[in-house]
């Protein structure tokens, strides 16, 4: 691999060297070059895009951006008709190195963290996989951030965006590790870090909804129960309601009441494994207003994912760079997203009995759920306690192009290589794109292969991948 000596264990410094080699190659290119950026359209991809866009603006480069769900031959065909001098692929591209190199013959940079096959290439690749770094150590936006910072120290003010991508890719668990924790140090100028109850929605949701929707931490008789959550809160004897009788948001409770609330939750969890495991790091953006989804890094990353799922890539980039009008528009998108989310969960609840068989749940939504939402459904299902830990969840939905989008996850915190499983099942039915990470991956197959695929994945011996 380019500029990399083989070692058993690589360090953060090795990674920074890889980044600075890439930046040196980039600096050598003509300043009048036109750059084409192709990037993923999820939270990490949009965060990556924002960082590179801002960095290129600062260097006076001209560029255009396209955010896509995945790379395929259509994307590459369209790209071939365009004019540009330099190519950037962010949060994707690794699976198409040979194809990209053969088609474009232009200086190309791939900043990514997905698995890919190493081979000789002229393309400049920065990917933590090359150094066997752990999945949680850095996301694509972290890679883009280190690239931008190496290019120009000014870009240090973009560190918070890198962490947004990391949060979106589920890399934050009781803190950041590896390169992400170094990036956190840079981000502290814009970001407050504190310890608090690690619930989703403390900035924006009424407290009864926060508890009702909380599956991790799980609260017996409260999680998943509208009445249970209300009863629990009203029995706590704290000021959880405002003057109109509506539930307050967590940020509007007094310090004292937050303490009473958290101890009440811990008491309620006494028969759980770690009852006190309800605290975590809270990351809030100093310059954002309290009570908005942009204030809290986790809510911000959900907002970005929502905007991406609605295909609004450039809106995502604008909110990352914190454009005021874009923020307003994004809030509208977020509420449509929530409505859609409620609909798919309803659909799942009504149909879930037919999906389960021995260790694997095949959720075949066909046309009932949009292909852009099927991965979200699979993620929510595996994080709730619908299925036993270790259950493989395979969710399928039809696309508008007569294909089937497949999303694969594993329930609970169990280490199973579902990507390996999915690859093997797909390989048995034909040559179709399949990508992602070890515990969250996806594929695209023609509709005509539906039955064949379901048969293949049902019959696979999944013990092999544990
Ligand atoms: Mn990513």
């Amino acid at each position: 691999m380019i500029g990399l000596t083989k070692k058993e264990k690589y360090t953060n410094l090795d990674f920074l060297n890889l980044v600075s080699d890439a930046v040196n190659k980039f600096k050598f290119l003509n300043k009048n070059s036109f750059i084409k950026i192709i990037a993923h359209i999820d939270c990490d991809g949009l965060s990556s895009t924002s960082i590179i866009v801002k960095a290129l603006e600062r260097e006076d480069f001209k560029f255009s951006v396209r955010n896509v769900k995945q790379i395929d031959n259509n994307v590459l065909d369209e790209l071939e008709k365009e004019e540009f001098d330099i190519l950037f692929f962010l949060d994707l591209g690794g699976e198409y190195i040979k194809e990209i190199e053969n088609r474009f013959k232009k200086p190309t940079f791939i900043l990514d963290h997905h698995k890919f096959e190493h081979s000789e290439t002229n393309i400049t690749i920065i990917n933590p996989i090359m150094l066997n770094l752990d999945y949680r150590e850095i996301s694509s936006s972290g890679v883009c951030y280190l690239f931008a910072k190496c290019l120009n120290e000014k870009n240090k003010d973009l560190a918070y965006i890198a962490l947004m991508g990391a949060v979106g890719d589920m890399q934050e668990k009781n803190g950041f590790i590896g390169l992400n924790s170094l990036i956190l140090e840079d981000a502290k100028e814009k970001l407050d870090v504190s310890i608090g109850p690690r619930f989703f929605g403390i900035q924006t949701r009424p407290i009864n909804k926060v508890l009702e929707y909380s599956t991790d931490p799980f609260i017996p008789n409260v999680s998943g129960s509208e009445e249970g959550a209300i009863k629990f809160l009203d029995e706590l004897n704290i000021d959880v309601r405002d003057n109109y009788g509506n539930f307050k948001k967590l940020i509007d409770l007094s310090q004292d009441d937050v303490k009473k609330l958290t101890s009440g939750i811990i008491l309620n969890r006494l028969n759980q494994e770690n009852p006190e495991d309800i605290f975590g790091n809270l990351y809030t953006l100093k310059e954002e207003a309290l009570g908005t989804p942009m204030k809290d890094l986790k809510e911000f990353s959900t907002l970005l994912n929502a905007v991406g799922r609605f295909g609004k890539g450039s809106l995502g980039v604008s909110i990352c760079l914190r454009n005021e009008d874009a923020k307003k528009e994004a809030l509208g998108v977020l509420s449509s997203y929530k409505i859609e989310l409620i609909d798919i969960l309803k659909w799942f609840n009504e149909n879930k009995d037919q999906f389960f068989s021995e260790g694997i749940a095949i959720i075949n939504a066909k046309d009932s759920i949009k292909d852009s939402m099927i991965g979200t459904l699979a993620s929510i299902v595996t994080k709730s306690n619908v299925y036993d830990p270790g259950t493989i969840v395979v969710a399928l939905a039809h696309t508008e192009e007569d294909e089937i989008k497949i999303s694969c996850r594993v329930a609970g915190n169990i280490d199973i290589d579902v990507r390996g499983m999915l690859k093997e099942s797909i390989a048995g039915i034909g040559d179709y794109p399949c990508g992602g990470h070890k515990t969250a991956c996806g594929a695209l197959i023609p509709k005509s292969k539906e039955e064949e695929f379901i048969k293949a994945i049902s019959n696979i011996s999944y013990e092999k991948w544990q």
Side-chain angles (χ1 to χ4, degrees):
M1 193 57 63
I2 347 98
L4 207 64
T5 35
K6 232 181 159 43
K7 282 191 200 174
E8 239 170 54
K9 182 90 187 97
Y10 294 100
T11 62
N12 288 342
L13 192 63
D14 291 318
F15 192 77
L16 295 175
N17 284 334
L18 191 69
V19 171
S20 81
D21 285 351
V23 169
N24 286 335
K25 278 190 196 156
F26 179 74
K27 279 183 173 163
F28 187 71
L29 300 168
N30 189 329
K31 277 255 175 188
N32 294 319
S33 306
F34 186 84
I35 300 177
K36 182 78 199 181
I37 302 166
I38 307 290
H40 197 204
I41 195 161
D42 70 348
C43 171
D44 190 28
L46 293 170
S47 304
S48 301
T49 311
S50 320
I51 292 169
I52 293 301
V53 158
K54 189 75 194 179
L56 293 179
E57 265 174 17
R58 282 181 167 151
E59 305 304 311
D60 287 325
F61 272 103
K62 297 214 167 32
F63 56 85
S64 78
V65 180
R66 180 155 179 225
N67 288 102
V68 294
K69 282 193 243 173
Q70 74 261 329
I71 295 235
D72 53 28
N73 282 319
N74 289 340
V75 171
L76 297 179
D77 287 347
E78 279 169 37
L79 196 55
E80 248 179 316
K81 292 177 205 143
E82 289 186 46
E83 291 216 10
F84 51 81
D85 311 299
I86 301 171
L87 265 173
F88 267 83
F89 289 92
L90 313 178
D91 200 32
L92 42 66
E95 308 238 11
Y96 280 83
I97 296 173
K98 278 278 152 251
E99 185 84 19
I100 291 168
E101 188 165 24
N102 290 339
R103 282 193 191 218
F104 301 106
K105 318 230 180 295
K106 301 249 163 96
T108 301
F109 295 79
I110 301 182
L111 279 54
D112 191 12
H113 69 142
H114 294 86
K115 233 178 169 172
F116 71 104
E117 304 297 326
H118 295 212
S119 61
E120 269 316 305
T121 175
N122 289 320
I123 292 179
T124 307
I125 305 167
I126 320 178
N127 188 323
I129 296 283
M130 296 154 79
L131 273 63
N132 306 320
L133 296 187
D134 184 88
Y135 174 70
R136 281 187 53 219
E137 290 185 48
I138 192 166
S139 64
S140 293
S141 30
V143 175
C144 292
Y145 169 70
L146 294 176
F147 182 92
K149 185 184 161 191
C150 181
L151 187 65
N152 185 339
E153 196 61 23
K154 260 191 197 166
N155 294 319
K156 246 180 113 172
D157 62 350
L158 306 175
Y160 73 97
I161 306 178
L163 297 181
M164 223 130 71
V167 165
D169 271 357
M170 314 303 286
Q171 295 182 348
E172 202 277 350
K173 275 184 196 156
N174 294 322
F176 289 107
I177 61 165
L179 289 156
N180 277 335
S181 59
L182 294 184
I183 298 174
L184 177 63
E185 289 310 309
D186 288 352
K188 279 183 177 165
E189 215 171 288
K190 301 238 168 205
L191 215 55
D192 279 323
V193 185
S194 61
I195 304 277
R198 55 179 183 94
F199 294 110
F200 184 82
I202 58 176
Q203 294 287 335
T204 56
R205 290 183 179 171
I207 176 81
N208 61 318
K209 288 292 162 196
V210 168
L211 300 189
E212 180 189 333
Y213 294 148
S214 176
T215 49
D216 175 29
F218 182 78
I219 316 168
N221 304 320
V222 173
S223 296
S225 164
E226 190 175 7
E227 291 156 53
I230 294 173
K231 190 164 168 266
F232 170 76
L233 284 166
D234 283 335
E235 284 173 0
L236 274 179
N237 264 327
I238 58 175
D239 267 339
V240 277
R241 291 180 188 257
D242 63 17
N243 296 339
Y244 304 100
N246 299 322
F247 281 99
K248 292 180 183 172
K249 297 194 278 189
L250 229 146
I251 46 159
D252 295 327
L253 296 188
S254 70
Q255 288 279 23
D256 232 31
D257 283 350
V258 171
K259 267 188 205 145
K260 284 182 197 155
L261 172 70
T262 47
S263 33
I265 294 171
I266 294 170
L267 280 176
N268 200 301
R269 283 169 42 90
L270 281 182
N271 59 354
Q272 304 281 303
E273 207 172 310
N274 296 304
E276 70 296 337
D277 178 27
I278 63 163
F279 298 101
N281 291 321
L282 306 179
Y283 306 90
T284 46
L285 274 162
K286 291 179 187 174
E287 290 163 16
E288 291 293 336
L290 267 177
T292 66
M294 281 74 69
K295 184 72 180 172
D296 176 286
L297 221 53
K298 287 186 187 169
E299 293 196 55
F300 205 143
S301 74
T302 304
L303 177 65
L304 277 178
N305 270 322
V307 163
R309 293 231 159 72
F310 277 75
K312 295 182 179 283
S314 63
L315 178 64
V317 172
S318 304
I319 54 168
C320 277
L321 299 171
R322 308 198 12 256
N323 170 291
E324 289 302 324
D325 292 332
K327 284 184 201 168
K328 278 184 207 126
E329 191 185 338
L331 292 182
V333 174
L334 186 63
S335 49
S336 332
Y337 175 71
K338 281 184 185 158
I339 293 167
E340 208 169 319
L341 212 54
I342 291 168
D343 285 346
I344 66 168
L345 290 176
K346 252 191 216 147
W347 176 86
F348 175 76
N349 270 326
E350 280 161 17
N351 294 282
K352 65 178 175 219
D353 297 338
Q354 66 200 57
F355 304 135
F356 188 71
S357 82
E358 283 171 73
I360 186 162
I362 297 175
I363 305 172
N364 193 355
K366 297 184 188 247
D367 291 317
S368 303
I369 291 175
K370 272 201 241 160
D371 61 305
S372 58
M373 295 296 279
I374 197 72
T376 310
L377 175 66
S379 296
I380 294 176
V381 166
T382 47
K383 270 181 249 146
S384 65
N385 49 354
V386 184
Y387 299 119
D388 286 338
T391 306
I392 314 289
V393 172
V394 184
L396 299 88
H398 295 167
T399 73
E400 280 172 12
E401 292 83 29
D402 266 338
E403 288 173 314
I404 296 174
K405 166 92 187 281
I406 304 166
S407 278
C408 243
R409 308 279 190 277
V410 54
N413 266 333
I414 307 282
D415 204 27
I416 294 177
D417 182 9
V418 283
R419 187 177 179 273
M421 251 186 81
L422 182 63
K423 273 211 142 160
E424 191 177 288
S425 316
I426 301 269
I429 62 165
D431 183 19
Y432 306 111
C434 173
H437 306 287
K438 205 176 147 198
T439 53
C441 56
L444 210 56
I445 59 169
K447 228 186 212 169
S448 56
K449 294 279 179 179
E450 183 169 315
E451 267 176 54
E452 227 180 301
F453 167 75
I454 291 178
K455 220 169 144 195
I457 194 118
S458 312
N459 291 334
I460 209 158
S461 70
Y462 51 91
E463 286 86 6
K464 180 177 152 194
W465 304 100
Q466 281 169 356

